[in-house]
Amino acid sequence: MRRAVAFVGLLGVVAAGISLSIMPSSRSAAASEPRTFLIPASDGYGVADCISSRAECGQIVANAWCESQGFGKAVTFGVAAREDFTGSVTKQSPAQLAEQPLSITCGE
């Protein structure tokens, strides 16, 4: 009786292993198409200085962000256009520009 229960348990483990091995990986599917991320300018890490000024460190920071999200590298980065995150196209004051989120588009 114990052998029969152990055999049924073994078959269950093998079937589960086979079904998991043939499932597609969602990580590779996400990396195949570009994706844009909006990051608050006041995130506390200081990345806004590099990305918004498009300094040399901006490419490094943007690439690191994309890699942490499962993508290869950053395609574009910078300050997000107002219509991209609110649907509004009104004129902004300099104080409001400082609070605009950052935009990083990641791809392969």
Side-chain angles (χ1 to χ4, degrees):
M1 179 72 176
R2 286 185 187 174
R3 287 185 183 177
V5 171
F7 183 69
V8 170
L10 178 65
L11 286 179
V13 170
V14 169
I18 291 173
S19 66
L20 289 176
S21 66
I22 60 173
M23 289 177 54
S25 172
S26 63
R27 199 95 156 126
S28 63
S32 64
E33 55 190 56
R35 185 168 173 195
T36 301
F37 296 94
L38 293 176
I39 305 162
S42 58
D43 67 350
Y45 292 106
V47 299
D49 296 333
C50 288
I51 292 179
S52 63
S53 67
R54 303 201 49 92
E56 280 184 40
C57 63
Q59 185 67 47
I60 296 168
V61 170
N63 284 340
W65 177 268
C66 290
E67 288 175 14
S68 72
Q69 301 300 318
F71 291 87
K73 63 178 183 174
V75 177
T76 61
F77 62 93
V79 177
R82 183 136 177 98
E83 59 270 6
D84 289 342
F85 63 94
T86 64
S88 172
V89 290
T90 61
K91 194 77 169 161
Q92 297 178 24
S93 69
Q96 289 172 323
L97 285 174
E99 293 301 316
Q100 273 189 252
L102 307 170
S103 170
I104 300 176
T105 302
C106 301
E108 283 194 41

